[in-house]
Amino acid sequence: MEHADILHRCFRCGYCKLPGNYMDLNCPSYLKFRFETYSPGGRMWLLRAWLEGEIKTSPRLAEILFSCATCANCVEHCVFPKFKDDILNAFVAGRSELVEKGAVPPAVRDYLKAIHVNGNPYKLPEADRGKWADGLDIERFNDQEYLFYVGCVGSYDERGKQMARSVGRLLRDWHVSFGILGPDEHCDGNDVCSLGETGLFRQLAEQTIQQFSDLNVGKVITLSPHAYHAMKTEYPKYGAQFDVYHYSQVIEGLMKTVHLTPKGEPVRVTFHDPCYLGRHHQEYGTPRNILSKIRNVQFVEMDRSKGDALCCGGGGGNFFRIFWVTARTVPGG
């Protein structure tokens, strides 16, 4: 297994389970299940025992390895600098081994099958991908400066579609040169990658890279931090040569000369850092800079924020196949 050489280096000090104050539990799966095998250190030892033949492949092993939300709290708080960057890589590699053996949980199997057969986890027609933009008068991509990539959640999920419409409307009203692919958009595959299905992810990545190349796409705005991560970090391994921005990064640039005043009374707001924007890419300042420029907004930080933010539990494919989600089980999560 790739990265197997690092498994023995973890001696389960436990810092990977905690935020910076060492007073809470911040690993989503350990917070939910409270068994050491669900912690990053426990998974390390579980993987080592599995590879050395001390334990056998089983549904229980698969459930534990696939429960990881890939939130990178363990990477953030590991005390060994030369070791920590490969922690998540080792977990994904273990998942890849289980994928190769066909020993994945049924929910993972069904998710991957839906992507392979339908092109999206919702099992809905690809022709419906552009319906989120109905009535917004947003143009199809045709050599504009940016391509606005919405992804599966923005195309099919009801709340995701509302987000896509809000961002699309804002980019349109602020006269950004952008277009969309509509029904021709494809799944970015970030969760496929984190689940260890490297063959399917490569197929998805190469499909999108070729499409963007054919259309002469030079800059991409993503709605989702997951798509941002896939296109910025993983796609270059397969030849991608376009620039990638999360929509908040583009909006921050537009707001350098603009101040917004919400209607009504002043509002008190906070911001939950997405793991794939925050810990994975250290992008903490941009969303806060945007909020600071909105008049009548009082910004407050949560007890756990930035590198200590508590993951919603949806990463690593959990949003679609849901063994558990911390937002549903932890008050205020």
Side-chain angles (χ1 to χ4, degrees), residues 132 153-166:
W132 66 268
V153 174
S155 297
Y156 298 110
D157 180 80
E158 287 304 315
R159 182 174 293 182
K161 287 190 286 187
Q162 294 175 23
M163 293 171 60
R165 289 180 66 84
S166 295

Side-chain angles (χ1 to χ4, degrees), residues 67 138 259:
S67 70
I138 294 177
H259 288 273

Side-chain angles (χ1 to χ4, degrees), residues 50-271:
W50 180 50
L51 292 175
E52 294 181 2
E54 297 175 16
I55 60 175
K56 296 180 179 180
T57 303
S58 68
R60 180 65 169 166
L61 172 68
E63 176 191 339
I64 293 171
L65 291 184
F66 280 94
S67 70
C68 172
T70 63
C71 72
N73 182 77
C74 55
V75 177
E76 182 78 20
H77 296 293
C78 179
V79 296
F80 298 102
K82 293 183 179 180
F83 163 67
K84 59 194 257 178
D85 289 340
D86 282 327
I87 295 176
L88 285 184
N89 292 333
F91 296 157
V92 173
R95 289 172 164 182
S96 294
E97 292 291 313
L98 289 173
V99 169
E100 287 295 318
K101 294 177 180 291
V104 300
V108 175
R109 177 202 63 209
D110 294 344
Y111 168 79
L112 295 174
K113 181 179 179 180
I115 298 292
H116 181 75
V117 175
N118 303 102
N120 66 83
Y122 299 91
K123 302 180 182 179
L124 294 173
E126 292 285 85
D128 291 348
R129 275 190 175 272
K131 288 187 176 181
W132 66 268
D134 287 352
L136 293 182
D137 195 28
I138 294 177
E139 298 178 353
R140 292 289 296 271
F141 183 82
N142 185 23
D143 290 330
Q144 292 98 328
E145 183 179 3
Y146 294 100
L147 168 67
F148 180 32
Y149 177 87
V150 173
C152 296
V153 174
S155 297
Y156 298 110
D157 180 80
E158 287 304 315
R159 182 174 293 182
K161 287 190 286 187
Q162 294 175 23
M163 293 171 60
R165 289 180 66 84
S166 295
V167 174
R169 188 183 297 113
L170 186 60
L171 295 175
R172 180 203 65 191
D173 292 348
W174 283 6
H175 306 293
V176 176
S177 174
F178 78 101
I180 61 174
L181 294 176
D184 295 327
E185 190 178 275
H186 303 297
C187 177
D188 61 81
N190 183 72
D191 289 339
V192 173
C193 182
S194 67
L195 288 171
E197 225 298 14
T198 54
L200 179 56
F201 174 70
R202 178 170 189 146
Q203 176 184 332
L204 293 170
E206 290 180 343
Q207 179 184 38
T208 295
I209 291 168
Q210 185 61 55
Q211 180 188 41
F212 287 7
S213 177
D214 293 342
L215 293 171
N216 198 32
V217 173
K219 298 178 181 179
V220 178
I221 301 172
T222 71
L223 179 70
S224 164
H226 288 217
Y228 174 76
H229 175 76
M231 293 184 180
K232 191 174 183 67
T233 302
E234 301 296 334
Y235 279 29
K237 299 174 184 178
Y238 302 103
Q241 297 181 349
F242 46 83
D243 297 324
V244 187
Y245 306 89
H246 185 253
Y247 75 85
S248 62
Q249 296 168 329
V250 175
I251 290 175
E252 182 190 28
L254 296 171
M255 292 187 69
K256 289 180 179 178
T257 58
V258 175
H259 288 273
L260 298 179
T261 304
K263 297 179 181 179
E265 297 296 320
V267 292
R268 190 166 180 255
V269 302
T270 191
F271 178 75

